[in-house]
Amino acid sequence: MFEIIRPQSASLSQEQVTGIQELTSRFSKIKGGLLPCLHAVQRLCNNWLPMEALQLVARGMKVPYPYLYGVLSFYTMFSTQPRGKYIIRLCESPPCHIMGADDLVEVLKAELGVGVGETTPDGLFTLEHTACLGVCEVAPAMQINEVVHGHLSADKIKAILADYRAGKAPNYQELRRTTNELSAYPASPDELVTLRNVDQIDPMSLDDYLARGGYEGLKKALTMTDEEVVNVVKDSGLRGRGGAGFPTGLKWSFTRPVPIFPKYIICNADEGEPGTIKDRYIMEGDPHRVLEGMAIGGYAVGANFGYIYCRGEYYLSIYRLQNAIDQAVAKNLLGDNIMGTGFSFHIQIQPGGGSYVCGEETALIESIQGQRGNPRVKPPFPGQVGVWYKPTIVNNVESWASVPDIIVKGADWFKAKGTEDSKGTKIFQVVGHVNSPGLVEANMGLPLASLINQIGKGCREGKKIKAVQPGGAACGFITPEHLDTPLEYAAMAKVQGAVGSGTNLVMDETTCIIDVVKCLLYFFQHESCGFCLPCRRGTRVLYEMVCKIIDGKGAEADLERMLVLAKAMVDSANCALGWSPYSFLKTTMERFREEWLAHVAGKCPLGVCKPNSHH
Amino acid sequence: MVNLTIDGRAIQAKKGQTILEVARDNGIYIPYLCYHKALKPIASCRICVVEVKPGPPRPQPACSTYVTEGMEVVTTSERLDVIRRELVKLVLINHALDCPICDKGGECELQNLTHALGIDRVDYEAQVLTPHIDYESSLIERHPDRCVTCGRCIRICRDRVGAMAIHFMNRGYYTELGSGVLPLDCEFCGSCIEICPVGALINKVFKYQARAWELEKTETVCPFCGGGCTYQVQTRDGRILRVANQDSILLCGRGRFGFPVVHSEDRLTTPLIKENGSFRPASWGEALDLVAQRFQEIMAEAGPGAIYGVGSPRATNESNYLFQKFFREVLKTNNLDNPGRYHFVRGMAGLMAVFGVSQVDGLAAPAARVPAYHSPYEVTEGATGSGLMFVLGKLADLPQADVALVVGADVTTELPPLGWALMKARENENFQLIVANPRATKFDRYAALSLQYKPGAERLLMGGLFKAIFAAQPDIAPVINAAGLEEFKESFKKFSLKEYATKAGVDEGQLKTAAELLLKAQAPAIIFGTELLGQDKGQENATALADLFLLVGKPGNPGSGVYMAAEKANTLGLLVVGVLPDRLPGFIPIDKDPGLNLEQMLEALETGHDNAPQALYALGGDLVRWLPNRSRTEKLLKKLKFIVVQDAFLTDTAKLADVILPVAIHVEQEGTFFSSDSKLGLLRKALPENGVRPDWQIIMELANRLGGAFKYVKPAQIFQELAAQLPVCAGLAPGHCFPAPGLTAKLSGQFVPFEQDISLPGRRPYTLIVGKSLQHSGSYTTHQPCGTLMVTPGARLKMNPEDAVALNLGAGETAKIISSHGEITASVSLDADLPPGVVLLPDHFGEPAANRLTLNSNLVRVTIQKM
């Protein structure tokens, strides 16, 4: 009911007007050109979208202005108010939150002399909050325009701002990595699949990729029948690595026989699940692997076009992927009539606009189509009715990156790895209160304790682990007694955890569970698309109920009411976002009931929660 | 059929139905909020969830889950009850419980839902947001604090109207209805108001006029275009307070907000007689006696042909029928015509030249007794028909077309329901739209191909299109039995495809693409309207399009047809009932002594020919306002000795009259209209007449004073007599179109070459299109307190911003527009939809009078100056 934040006016220069007209003329010819066009126009207009620019976009893209406004107001990366030269996005999601992001916002406010959402009078900085940036291994973190700054402290922030003020803004394209190199982490005990080239090759070099067997999977696939390719992937036991774990080959086998064309391939690179950082390593370190996997998938199901929907904040990933696409096309490893086989496959990158729910495959599809990122009602599933309402295979970056080696080395090679229940390797991430947050690609079934102790080098500063939230923000909390659980789908489900994206948020004994739950609920109400009633209002109501409890105004009955509401959301919400709160509410209320009750009684036992200071 | 059970009850349903539809059809109540029968389900409120076996463990939304064989559905259970109550409680958080002042009170779906679920308290809280209520926009008031975010308004605006003027903005808890601008800039059709389940969108015209339950409701026909929408007039104490289409919800702005003209203070309430240059009120008896007396005198002096009749596209079939009967049987002359002569009649003539006049054979004799407003002819097996009426498309079928070519029409402005039908057609993913127009129009947004040609170059565009079709498929064989194809092909030898393209101002490639689309179409539709027909060569335009349909049309396939938009409610009916100088009811040609048509009549007046009439009897038909070259019309009408005008308002023509007879308008009378797709609409009387009379009664009184013996007591009797003369309307009943689907069409056509030129003489730098405004219907809607005047209170000269810069003109400034025939001034508005060099001026308002500039066409070259 913030009825219409009227976009501000600006007098555009003739250059800007011509520039916008050129952009709309170019993007109006590309299917799904609206979001990329808005990003480009925003760059041209100094980081924001004035009314005059939007009117030109509306006319040029043949989208009525109210509609355009409705779409752009969905995405947090667009602004209709003037912003500074540098946009500071401070992450406020759980992994950064438990690492002290709250204190940092105060530092930034004081340093800049402005509040969140405001711009410094010199027009240099705009301070914004953001949901997870996908750089949790260096939490707490912020992004200034394209560049991420991690391991933040008050001093570090001051130094960074001083650099920017002095005109020393780093160029993201020259950075080797957004955060750390893979070699910064302890080595995997197992043979690598998706990460095997990362840090071993120059990600900007196709020759390097080819020298390590690159595109051999595609070449081999093109000598097989489409059905054979699908069967190999099916036999390999590969399950979707985005979070839901649906068998990849099975998904392909539903779409391959559908006689509707064109079909599409989508790579879900909207890595937004808090704590999840893995896809970025693949895209930044070995971009061709993703393209190769997609092309194989395209051949297998009969698609000739693929989209990579990459979250807008992953500038370096987009840069490296685009470079890889251009190189592959130049060598005819992508494009028309690939290597003379008659098979054509094109790939287009779609940048996201700052929306977690766009990682849900049908919301992602809507977003590609230039709409608000509302998940569709399913069925039908994308395999039947996907992007542009055609059969579409959506798989996660890690899934696509697994495909080339499966084709080259065979299904048996892949399924020999892992456990009976879960085959192959998976990238696991350990973030939060560990000494060395990071990731590892290991065979499925790696015990959670090994991940925490060997890769994460144990709980920080010798403290005790209080809880782990495996899988991502949508999952339940487990306790130290569950640490020997192998990271595989069945075993994790048994303890009300999940493999999810493979992330594991470790919380030590100084962590207030209720505070983390509040942070999670804030995240979900912020990221709810608003399409379906249970989630649109339920997430907000739950968030405010936790706030009320923290404020000492709750009652024990509120806990039951929260569960009733969260359960009604599970039973009625349109997509998994609305189903999410139930899992962590239920597990924390079961496993940390005393702590909940203490808050109901008006006391945060650890003194973490600050009453009456909520968003 | 599909067999399933709902709550244990065995039910048979149609394949493709949703659980909600099946439950509703079987009297099983499933609560919902976002579902509406006029929209596709989106399942966003989730209140309609039901348990389904076999199926996923979660309950499924009944509105978007399709029934399958063997399905077991449970619509009520404890689990579902919890979900629904939780959900409705969520809706009610911070909902403005201002029911006493909410105009939706008594017809609010949220009230009903809360009541049905027995929710007596809301034990949830969430941030209270400041509602920024939009009191600023015209006609529509927006109350975000009452919004339930069901998206019905957005969907009807986007999917049915195609305006896309509102959308959700923000997200999550902050999601709400937005427009990006304030005040609203939309089509102001108000369909969003009608479909809103709550009072988030309020009709400003209706607000605080009455409570919903106090209204009397009458189904009748909307009079503001040839679309033939039926709607419900809601009245209290002799006044219309609101209208609604409760079926599709859709009405246009004129339809929804135009009704207050009925209560306009400008309405004529008593007969007027002109004395010494000014009008004085008179009794009906005196006025009618005077008319009868003057007619007799004039006829005695100059013969019956001295009285000329002009029928009215706003009057009913019954009145127009009686009007021509009066002329033919009582006055004994064929000297009558109708204002459609300058557009719609040209279109019919073009179609007739190619497809012939319509006729139906093999019918049994008419039945003696049939229900009121039904044709006495039954459609019997073996009955056949032919001619143009069999190619005239029906709006209800248009959604089945797979390719639609729109030429020279701004669809929604010309005929809003045609726009809705195109939106419906778009639901078929294979549907392709081609829009050809000198300026950008709304439907370009949805077009696979937009051809922006030079103003007046329609026939060169068509020439190019034929050329491209013949090049793509030299051996093309029309589906319709057609003669003269070879000679017709010869007529395109003059230019190459490239030359056609250049002359028309389009791309050669575009013509080829259009040709390809039309050639592969299984059900092509061709759409045009008054703007195209209003040119001096409007008939040639229609001929070209009729030829195109003859070439590529597939009239056997539903949706394939020629759709000709009529401007007014009964434009087609006038022709069907014979208000033509050369045709009797049912298009039967008059061989002996046809009368003069309007153009010939004016010419005769101009030349002073001895067949020139001396008196005019105009049933509405404001000739001064609507005919091109206004000063000529005024001059010529002043030559007449006696003018009688029958109208509801003091029109420009009425001002020249000697006697004015005030008439009842649509809601004050009974009778029928034929929409432009030939649907019979039944007017029902919802209001008393208050001193005015329906046209038919006046005509009857006059006829009887002049020796006639008309003895009708109600319009249904006239319809009965009329319908017996219309075998072509066999099987007709209210709400149905003719010819009836049961008739076997024996179509044939003759290719008729058309003139391939641009008729736009002169050297002045701008081309003025005299067009229409979306918010107006003739001059009818220009009377206060018509609601649409709040949106479009006057006519502005629309021009491209670049032209405005060149002319040093800004928005709102006054421009002088000069043609070879006259000059006027008009206020300017900037509109990038117009290409540079082309300007548009709507013609509804008395001033600026666009027809002071025109000669014989609605296109004219003009010079524009800053005042």
Side-chain angles (χ1 to χ4, degrees), chain B residues 760-767 818-820 860-863:
Chain B
L760 194 53
R763 290 189 161 278
R764 293 174 185 271
Y766 292 91
T767 301
I818 307 156
S819 79
S820 308
V860 62
R861 288 198 192 276
V862 294
T863 306

Side-chain angles (χ1 to χ4, degrees), chain B residues 189-251:
Chain B
C189 71
S191 301
C192 54
I193 300 172
E194 189 65 32
I195 206 158
C196 179
V198 293
L201 293 156
I202 291 293
N203 180 333
K204 283 185 161 178
V205 175
F206 178 65
K207 189 183 170 190
Y208 295 162
Q209 296 297 302
R211 301 312 312 224
W213 55 84
E214 301 171 328
L215 296 165
E216 281 178 57
K217 294 166 183 174
T218 311
E219 289 290 331
T220 188
V221 184
C222 175
F224 295 115
C225 80
C229 298
T230 49
Y231 69 5
Q232 192 184 63
V233 170
Q234 303 184 355
T235 59
R236 195 188 65 178
D237 302 335
R239 289 185 78 81
I240 311 181
L241 299 179
R242 184 169 70 173
V243 297
N245 175 350
Q246 292 186 323
D247 194 21
S248 75
I249 302 298
L250 295 165
L251 289 177

Side-chain angles (χ1 to χ4, degrees), chain B residues 91-102:
Chain B
V91 177
L92 288 170
I93 299 170
N94 300 338
H95 184 89
L97 292 174
D98 58 351
C99 307
I101 57 158
C102 177

Side-chain angles (χ1 to χ4, degrees), chain B residues 421-683:
Chain B
L422 282 180
M423 290 307 293
K424 193 105 184 158
R426 292 184 64 248
E427 287 181 5
N428 167 8
E429 63 167 337
N430 298 319
F431 174 76
Q432 306 253 37
L433 177 65
I434 309 168
V435 174
N437 200 305
R439 58 186 204 273
T441 60
K442 167 178 158 188
F443 273 89
D444 280 317
R445 188 186 296 156
Y446 305 113
L449 180 66
S450 286
L451 296 150
Q452 203 168 48
Y453 58 84
K454 293 180 191 162
E458 288 78 7
R459 294 180 304 285
L460 290 165
L461 177 86
M462 293 303 296
L465 195 51
F466 278 112
K467 190 99 185 174
I469 290 173
F470 291 134
Q473 203 172 314
D475 57 348
I476 183 169
V479 170
I480 305 167
N481 184 10
L485 179 57
E486 289 313 311
E487 301 90 299
F488 184 65
K489 277 184 182 173
E490 291 295 312
S491 68
F492 303 100
K493 287 270 156 77
K494 207 157 59 164
F495 304 123
S496 68
L497 180 59
K498 196 174 173 52
E499 284 168 325
Y500 274 117
T502 311
K503 284 174 187 296
V506 298
D507 237 37
E508 198 181 334
Q510 288 182 316
L511 287 173
K512 285 182 184 165
T513 310
E516 277 165 28
L517 288 172
L518 287 166
L519 280 171
K520 71 164 203 250
Q522 289 310 301
I526 293 174
I527 297 169
F528 54 98
T530 306
E531 195 172 307
L532 189 81
L533 300 172
Q535 296 173 15
D536 55 334
K537 293 194 179 170
Q539 183 174 335
E540 292 290 311
N541 290 341
T543 304
L545 289 157
D547 284 330
L548 180 64
F549 191 75
L550 181 58
L551 188 63
V552 302
K554 297 191 169 73
N557 295 350
S560 188
V562 175
Y563 297 78
M564 197 160 74
E567 187 191 357
K568 291 177 183 166
N570 204 24
T571 302
L572 175 64
L574 270 174
L575 278 54
V576 177
V577 304
V579 184
L580 289 166
D582 54 352
R583 289 185 187 273
L584 297 173
F587 307 111
I588 295 165
I590 297 170
D591 298 328
K592 195 166 160 281
D593 297 329
L596 300 176
N597 69 34
L598 252 180
E599 287 174 286
Q600 293 164 338
M601 182 275 277
L602 290 174
E603 245 171 63
L605 273 179
E606 191 159 43
T607 56
H609 197 276
D610 55 11
N611 67 356
Q614 302 195 6
L616 178 72
Y617 178 15
L619 198 58
D622 186 356
L623 304 180
V624 173
R625 182 72 71 84
W626 299 119
L627 268 41
N629 202 344
R630 181 182 173 116
S631 44
R632 171 176 180 256
T633 311
E634 282 171 333
K635 194 178 78 190
L636 297 179
L637 291 186
K638 280 177 188 158
K639 286 188 172 183
L640 293 165
K641 285 184 185 159
F642 186 65
I643 299 178
V644 186
V645 170
Q646 216 160 287
D647 209 312
F649 293 95
L650 187 63
T651 61
D652 291 341
T653 306
K655 286 173 192 160
L656 301 179
D658 297 281
V659 177
I660 305 175
L661 304 169
V663 297
I665 54 185
H666 73 296
V667 283
E668 297 160 341
Q669 61 176 329
E670 195 182 301
T672 59
F673 288 154
F674 276 120
S675 68
S676 58
D677 66 339
S678 79
K679 187 171 72 186
L680 185 70
L682 182 55
L683 292 171

Side-chain angles (χ1 to χ4, degrees), chain A residues 17-30 33-34 37 41 53-62:
Chain A
V17 171
T18 319
I20 294 169
Q21 282 166 342
E22 276 167 13
L23 286 169
T24 57
S25 149
R26 178 148 62 88
F27 282 112
S28 62
K29 294 182 187 83
I30 298 172
L34 187 63
C37 181
V41 171
L54 291 176
Q55 279 163 346
L56 287 171
V57 173
R59 180 159 285 274
M61 300 297 287
K62 287 194 187 173

Side-chain angles (χ1 to χ4, degrees), chain B residues 300-344:
Chain B
E301 194 181 311
I307 318 276
Y308 196 84
V310 177
S312 169
R314 290 221 190 279
T316 60
N317 288 321
E318 293 71 22
S319 297
N320 277 304
Y321 168 79
L322 216 55
F323 186 68
Q324 62 86 34
K325 183 175 173 177
F326 165 65
F327 270 80
R328 293 190 162 119
E329 288 187 8
V330 180
L331 302 184
K332 308 215 183 304
T333 173
N334 285 316
N335 261 350
L336 77 163
D337 202 357
N338 73 80
R341 176 64 54 194
Y342 285 81
H343 41 83
F344 199 77

